[in-house]
Amino acid sequence: ATVGARVTIDGNVDVFGGEIELDALTAVTVEAVGPEAAPAPITPVAYSEVKTSGTRQAKLEGVIITLPAATVTAIDTAVGEATLTAADSTTLIMDDTLYAANATVGQNYLSVTGVLTTKPVTAGSASKIQPRAATDLVPGAPGLATFGPALSYAKVGTTNNAPTYPQPLTVTLTGPAMGDTTVMIVSGTAAALTVANVIVPDGQTSIAVPVTALAQNADVTLTAMLGTNMQTAHVRVLGASEVPTMVTLSPNDATVNVGGTVLFTVSLDVPAVSSVQIGLSVTNAAGTLPTTVTIDPPNVSATFTYTDTALSGTAMVTATFGASTSSANVTVSTGATHLVINEIDYDNVGTDTAEYVEIYNPSGAAISLANKTLYLVNGANSQVYVTVDLSPAVSLASHQYLVLANANVTVPMTALKIDTGWHNATGDIQNGSPDGVALVDLSTNTLIDALSYEGAITAAMLPGFATPPSLVEGTVLASTVADSNTAEGSLCRHPDGQDTDDAAADWGFCATLSPGTANP
């Protein structure tokens, strides 16, 4: 079927998370190709009427409606949702099921059209508007997108009305200004730092904010206001003779591939007033790095590259500035160069409604998912009880995650997901004693990766394998390392993506679930 076609759908009416659905479809028949015009939107409709539990929410659920002006006040990038706030402060979620608006906080809309739906959330269900295309969103005057950087500096005694540094404090709108646009700026400590309103010229999206530094102060809060949009930034006012005294090295802990590199950052407590030399060293000659790194004024930080030569183990990198030192650990990763089964949550607390298996690409290049399949294996008879084809996800980028789960499991936008329908009784991931998972390349009938949990499966009856392979890599994972319905968590590889072909060394229990992100 194409957009605008008229179809007949055969299936079962069901309610999931508060939303009426057609489930277990048996046929979709195109009665007329069309395209047939969509019904005209229902208007007027107030946000207060269609919000969660609003007076018209149930009546208009599944109907195309047009809502009046609102402002985007929050973004949830993990699930692709934006919060719309109307003039009366009523809020409604704008979802991306049909169209991803890529909205930003502060964006104003004169009107929003879309399908009103009821979608499941963690605490129950919520009313949401689903725009269908860019034409469903009528933008208004731009709002305040950003006010930053979050921290910048000014020095007492410099020229009045000068920009902050190392980066100038800047206000940025959500779109080009429609006429000269005044943004109010207020200083929280006027005795230390004063600031005036700024005007973003017609057609421009940003402008720097000049300040006047009067007295030394560790933290002055500035507030930018445009209409109902408010954002804050912080300025540290430095004394005329104040100089840096401390150095910080980040990240505190890093993982490096064999022979790989890590980009470190050294930061001062205040910007350099003259060129500063930071001494660098590493224990056990475990890697190569420059002996010093220079931070030039007015910068507060600089970067350097560490290259592993140890091939294994952990080393300590240290930055030294005068009497100040800062150190970081670097651990050589034994991460695989192939797809790995990275995490499995097979036993939820209470009813199993949000199980998942996570696949990870720890290599430095994309890996095709063509002919890749995940088998769930029943330890009672070593037979496959669920088969999941990974090819619809096409390809997994370097260091990207693929989550196999039902609609109850959300993943970040950086990850891929295949909806398995595992909320059905016949599709649950079995809870062990033992059970297993096998990642297979069907084009060569080879076992890419496997895990046997809560016991050993040593002869899995996988389709296409002349000899049933073992799902135990090295030493079997102890049966005491297990998922359960009494404690939140999952089985996961740690470090993330490590595969030494020894299940007991590579796998453990993680108390924090991380579908689509690095294991804790």
Side-chain angles (χ1 to χ4, degrees):
T2 56
V3 174
R6 178 168 286 274
V7 299
T8 296
I9 302 175
D10 297 328
N12 297 331
V13 175
D14 196 3
V15 176
F16 177 67
E19 183 175 42
I20 300 172
E21 296 186 340
L22 283 170
D23 200 2
L25 302 186
T26 57
V28 178
T29 305
V30 178
E31 305 293 352
V33 175
E36 180 179 327
I42 301 297
T43 188
V45 176
Y47 285 86
S48 58
E49 294 176 317
V50 294
K51 67 179 183 180
T52 304
S53 301
T55 56
R56 301 176 72 189
Q57 181 200 2
K59 182 176 182 178
L60 294 178
E61 198 254 341
V63 175
I64 302 171
I65 64 173
T66 295
L67 295 164
T71 300
V72 177
T73 54
I75 298 289
D76 187 341
T77 55
V79 292
E81 294 179 348
T83 299
L84 300 174
T85 300
D88 63 358
S89 298
T90 301
T91 61
L92 186 69
I93 295 173
M94 180 171 66
D95 201 9
D96 65 346
T97 299
L98 306 179
Y99 171 73
N102 294 322
T104 57
V105 172
Q107 174 68 55
N108 296 311
Y109 292 113
L110 296 179
S111 67
V112 176
T113 298
V115 182
L116 186 70
T117 62
T118 302
K119 290 289 186 180
V121 294
T122 302
S125 59
S127 184
K128 301 183 182 183
I129 186 75
Q130 306 279 357
R132 302 158 297 168
T135 51
D136 277 344
L137 303 170
V138 180
L144 183 61
T146 60
F147 181 41
L151 174 65
S152 57
Y153 300 84
K155 184 177 283 289
V156 173
T158 56
T159 305
N160 288 350
N161 293 319
T164 62
Y165 67 96
Q167 295 86 31
L169 187 63
T170 302
V171 293
T172 303
L173 305 182
T174 57
M178 297 179 180
D180 292 350
T181 301
T182 299
V183 179
M184 294 180 60
I185 313 289
V186 177
S187 172
T189 313
L193 190 77
T194 60
V195 63
N197 298 338
V198 294
I199 299 176
V200 182
D202 180 33
Q204 295 188 20
T205 58
S206 63
I207 192 168
V209 178
V211 300
T212 299
L214 302 175
Q216 185 173 341
N217 192 291
D219 186 3
V220 177
T221 300
L222 298 182
T223 303
M225 295 174 285
L226 178 58
T228 59
N229 303 149
M230 298 177 61
Q231 295 199 31
T232 59
H234 299 267
V235 176
R236 178 170 176 175
V237 182
L238 304 177
S241 59
E242 193 170 359
V243 295
T245 59
M246 295 182 60
V247 65
T248 302
L249 180 64
S250 62
N252 294 325
D253 292 283
T255 301
V256 62
N257 294 328
V258 174
T261 61
V262 177
L263 184 66
F264 281 103
T265 299
V266 287
S267 302
L268 300 172
D269 52 334
V270 299
V273 294
S274 61
S275 293
V276 172
Q277 296 286 322
I278 307 296
L280 304 174
S281 62
V282 59
T283 58
N284 304 322
T288 60
L289 73 175
T291 56
T292 62
V293 62
T294 303
I295 302 178
D296 291 318
N299 296 316
V300 72
S301 64
T303 61
F304 67 92
T305 299
Y306 170 87
T307 302
D308 167 66
T309 58
L311 308 183
S312 65
T314 298
M316 179 179 290
V317 176
T318 300
T320 303
F321 172 53
S324 174
T325 62
S326 180
S327 298
N329 291 319
V330 182
T331 302
V332 179
S333 171
T334 52
T337 58
H338 57 78
L339 297 176
V340 296
I341 302 165
N342 202 50
E343 183 182 8
I344 177 171
D345 181 14
Y346 59 82
D347 197 358
N348 301 156
V349 175
T351 305
D352 292 347
T353 59
E355 302 162 313
Y356 64 88
V357 176
E358 178 188 81
I359 309 296
Y360 177 55
N361 176 7
S363 76
I367 297 178
S368 172
L369 296 176
N371 300 308
K372 306 300 190 299
T373 292
L374 185 80
Y375 291 127
L376 303 187
V377 181
N378 182 357
N381 55 19
S382 297
Q383 299 284 341
V384 173
Y385 66 93
V386 167
T387 299
V388 183
D389 178 14
L390 307 189
S391 62
V394 183
S395 176
L396 202 58
S398 172
H399 303 296
Q400 189 177 29
Y401 300 87
L402 168 64
V403 177
L404 314 178
N406 66 27
N408 292 331
V409 177
T410 59
V411 302
M413 297 180 69
T414 54
L416 302 180
K417 182 182 179 185
I418 293 178
D419 193 328
T420 58
W422 282 347
H423 55 282
N424 297 324
T426 57
D428 291 340
I429 306 176
Q430 294 184 175
N431 291 345
S433 294
D435 286 307
V437 285
L439 181 60
V440 171
D441 187 337
L442 298 182
S443 65
T444 57
N445 285 328
T446 55
L447 189 64
I448 301 171
D449 194 24
L451 173 67
S452 181
Y453 53 90
E454 299 193 25
I457 301 175
T458 58
M461 306 298 290
L462 303 184
F465 283 72
T467 302
S470 173
L471 302 189
V472 177
E473 293 187 338
T475 306
V476 66
L477 184 65
S479 59
T480 54
V481 182
D483 202 359
S484 76
N485 64 1
T486 58
E488 185 78 285
S490 65
L491 294 186
C492 68
R493 289 185 181 273
H494 57 87
D496 189 60
Q498 173 176 283
D499 186 7
T500 64
D501 290 331
D502 188 343
D506 294 339
W507 286 87
F509 180 78
C510 286
T512 301
L513 300 176
S514 55
T517 60
N519 296 335

